[in-house]
Amino acid sequence: MIKINGFIGLVFLLFTLLGGLMLTQVKAEELAPPSSDALQMAGAKGVFAFTPVDWQAGETTWWLDSDGVAPDVAGCHIGTDEDGNVNGRMFGEACLTDVVLVESNPGKGVVHAHSNDTGHPDQFDCLKWCKASGNATGRCEVASAPPCEQSARCVCQ
């Protein structure tokens, strides 16, 4: 256990903790370029590493995307084997904020591998995506995408 001596020690501890939080926040914001399917789409921010709740460390897993890269459609990422046979795993798309959508990829119906059971979905700015489509506003909204219990999509107005 660390013993803090007086005010200087407390200031040092707070500085260290805040510095660590800021570093974590910066790393969380780092994105790789958008997927090839999203690259030319308005609002595409880039991809990031994502592991499902039932993550299988070290395993190559197979997935099927129900909607492809379609920010206005709530999609479901469905677990399969290499031949496309459904195995009961799944996760939906999600809203990171009121305007940022997590959009699974690649194309609709494409069976693809996730090395180390880690996917790389795109992030979309729904406001930018909607404005490029001629709308005044856009936001991320939770929506249904069976068989996933919950998903999300960009809604434009």
Side-chain angles (χ1 to χ4, degrees), residues 13-152:
L13 179 63
L14 287 174
F15 179 78
T16 303
L17 289 173
L18 288 174
L21 289 174
M22 288 170 46
L23 181 60
T24 301
Q25 187 175 10
V26 170
K27 286 182 180 176
E29 293 297 320
E30 292 176 4
L31 298 173
S35 69
S36 59
D37 293 294
L39 192 58
Q40 301 301 317
M41 296 175 73
K45 295 170 57 92
V47 298
F48 68 103
F50 171 82
T51 55
V53 174
D54 59 349
W55 182 56
Q56 298 176 5
E59 296 292 321
T60 296
T61 54
W62 297 88
W63 297 88
L64 176 84
D65 188 14
S66 70
D67 69 327
V69 181
D72 59 336
V73 178
C76 186
H77 225 57
I78 303 164
T80 70
D81 63 15
E82 192 172 353
D83 297 320
N85 299 306
V86 175
N87 64 18
R89 297 180 76 204
M90 65 189 77
F91 59 87
E93 295 167 342
C95 294
L96 291 181
T97 69
D98 60 340
V99 295
V100 178
L101 170 71
V102 175
E103 175 69 22
S104 55
N105 55 56
K108 181 177 181 175
V110 175
V111 175
H112 60 282
H114 286 189
S115 178
N116 195 33
D117 199 23
T118 302
H120 293 86
D122 284 284
Q123 286 186 21
F124 270 88
D125 181 320
C126 291
L127 181 58
K128 288 181 181 176
W129 187 79
C130 288
K131 283 188 173 188
S133 302
N135 296 280
T137 66
R139 69 186 192 307
C140 188
E141 178 181 273
V142 173
S144 176
C148 287
E149 287 185 29
Q150 183 174 310
S151 187

Side-chain angles (χ1 to χ4, degrees), residues 4-18:
I4 300 174
N5 286 329
F7 180 74
I8 301 294
L10 181 59
V11 169
F12 177 77
L13 179 63
L14 287 174
F15 179 78
T16 303
L17 289 173
L18 288 174

